[in-house]
Amino acid sequence: MRDTITILGVPIDRVTRNDAGKITEDLIQVSNKSCKMIFAPNVEFIMMAQKDEEFFNILKESSLSTPDSIGVIIGAKLQGKFFPERIPGQSYFRKIIELSNEKGYSIYLLGGKPGIPEKVRQNLKKEFPNVNIVGVHHGYFGENEEKAVIQEINSLKPNVLFVALGAPKQEKWIKQHQKELQVDVATGQGGTYDYEAGRIKRAPEWIQKIGMEWFWRLLREPKRIKRQLVLPVYLIKVLFAKDKTKGKFDYK
Ligand code: UDP
């Protein structure tokens, strides 16, 4: 049975970065190309899910959901529960890259602006010479190109498919194609490639440590204010939620 904390109905696993890596490896072993879904919910996800039933149901179908943001950690605390640590999306991504470098797991990078996933592969190759990135494709393909993208992924049958199309598009895309995709694990990765490609700089480590990265991002991308305005509403909703502990989730 999974050890999850449910925030406004969305299950999130009580795992460390190392646990998340280990569980991903276990899922790769048992998946047999059945496209198990791994998500990284943050406050925006949880709030979107309250209004978007399709997204809500997809998040409940994950095989693993990692605690991505400080808002998720605080949401748990308000319920008297504790995550062992926060796992920013990029940190989980890097864990899987490290495992690929050590053990050869094959990886496909889908999403980001044209040229970005190529740049990510190039940068990672310098740092992790044995990383096994078998294919990349940008995330701005039309419906008529989608079939070819899926065919290419399926011809490579990667262990892990990273999808960065922004939320909830990436999670919906994975769910929509789950039955066709011949990958062991597929995971939504939001803006991770933009950091890895050096297009956007992450906050200095001390700002990350004190949980203020959201503020740093806000200063650099003021249009994010609209997204972050959901935070106070979220906190109030969590405080008054009646379904605090509802839902038991098992590994799928
Ligand atoms: N993206 C994409 N295709 C799309 C929309 C977005 O490949 O149709 C990429 C975008 O280039 C970016 C990533 O998805 O690299 C995440 O987008 P965003 O910053 O909106 O999402 P967040 O990081 O907030 O989840």
Side-chain angles (χ1 to χ4, degrees), residues 44 111-113 138-140 164-167 169-170 190-191 194 217 224 227:
E44 289 162 45
K113 294 207 165 69
H138 65 77
Y140 293 86
L165 303 173
K169 194 174 171 184
Q170 61 206 13
D194 293 322
R217 289 185 78 179
R224 295 183 73 90
R227 301 178 176 197

Side-chain angles (χ1 to χ4, degrees), residues 69-180:
S69 74
I70 188 75
V72 165
I73 308 286
I74 295 171
K77 275 191 190 156
L78 291 177
Q79 301 179 25
K81 295 177 185 168
F82 299 90
F83 285 107
E85 65 188 31
R86 175 170 98 88
I87 313 176
Q90 190 183 11
S91 171
Y92 171 74
F93 176 79
R94 286 205 147 229
K95 179 77 204 173
I96 303 308
I97 295 296
E98 284 165 22
L99 289 169
S100 167
N101 190 51
E102 279 166 34
K103 303 189 182 178
Y105 298 122
S106 56
I107 290 177
Y108 191 101
L109 304 179
L110 176 65
K113 294 207 165 69
I116 291 291
E118 287 83 353
K119 183 93 180 96
V120 173
R121 173 160 65 179
Q122 211 180 339
N123 288 355
L124 289 172
K125 258 294 192 216
K126 284 184 208 146
E127 209 178 325
F128 304 96
N130 296 321
V131 70
N132 188 17
I133 300 176
V134 290
V136 300
H137 197 288
H138 65 77
Y140 293 86
F141 48 88
E143 262 176 55
N144 50 341
E145 295 160 277
E146 191 166 75
K147 229 178 156 175
V149 171
I150 294 174
Q151 261 171 10
E152 194 202 47
I153 295 169
N154 285 350
S155 72
L156 296 162
K157 298 190 176 43
N159 294 123
V160 182
L161 170 66
F162 283 107
V163 184
L165 303 173
K169 194 174 171 184
Q170 61 206 13
E171 290 75 17
K172 288 185 177 179
W173 193 88
I174 293 171
K175 179 62 202 167
Q176 191 189 342
H177 301 290
Q178 190 183 25
K179 292 207 167 78
E180 291 161 75

